[in-house]
Amino acid sequence: MTIAEWCIFGAVILYLLTIVPFKALGSPGFDNGRPRDPGFYDDPLRTRALGAHLNGIETFPFFAVAVLLSEFRGAPQHLVDELAVLFLIVRAAYVLTYIGDRPTLRSILWSIGFAINTAIFFLPAIRHWLPS
């Protein structure tokens, strides 16, 4: 498996780890029989963690498709790998800014992550102009 493919798995783990600590560590009010109870997310920190978690789910399909498309269509693997790792780093920072209530920085990081995804997606189209 390539580094970029491991990053796909890492993206799943990241969005799971965003919300799991608030549920699994025995947060007061969490009822595993009703894991989606809106009342549990009345706390602002939990609300932000849920938002970061949901955004991770929303960004995952584009990231996974971009990586796999680039690999299947012959983009330079070292670039796919480097951009995928960079995406995970940006996403981890995004989660921290989301939970830490830094909305402007969070939006900047989201935009950077989207630009990285777009770059991965278009690597096959521009591979002939890239250095080997």
Side-chain angles (χ1 to χ4, degrees), residues 40-54:
F40 178 73
Y41 299 101
D42 286 343
D43 175 74
L45 186 61
R46 292 179 194 161
T47 299
R48 291 192 302 273
L50 177 63
H53 170 73
L54 293 174

Side-chain angles (χ1 to χ4, degrees), residues 15-29:
Y15 79 67
L16 290 175
L17 288 178
T18 302
I19 196 69
V20 164
F22 294 92
K23 291 182 175 184
L25 296 179
S27 291

Side-chain angles (χ1 to χ4, degrees), residues 5 8 23 26 28 30-31 40 42 56 61 67 69 89-90 106 108 112-113 120 124-125:
E5 291 164 357
I8 293 171
K23 291 182 175 184
F30 179 69
D31 177 6
F40 178 73
D42 286 343
V67 166
L69 174 74
I89 292 168
V90 168
R106 180 188 82 217
I108 292 168
I112 293 169
I120 295 169

Side-chain angles (χ1 to χ4, degrees), residues 3-4 7 63 67 70-71 74-87 116 119-124 126-132:
I3 291 170
C7 287
F63 175 63
V67 166
S70 283
E71 289 187 338
Q77 189 62 51
H78 70 283
L79 287 177
V80 178
D81 290 341
E82 290 166 5
L83 288 171
V85 169
L86 184 59
F87 175 79
I116 293 167
I120 295 169
F121 184 85
F122 283 107
L123 278 177
I126 63 169
R127 72 176 181 260
H128 300 295
W129 294 288
L130 298 171
S132 298

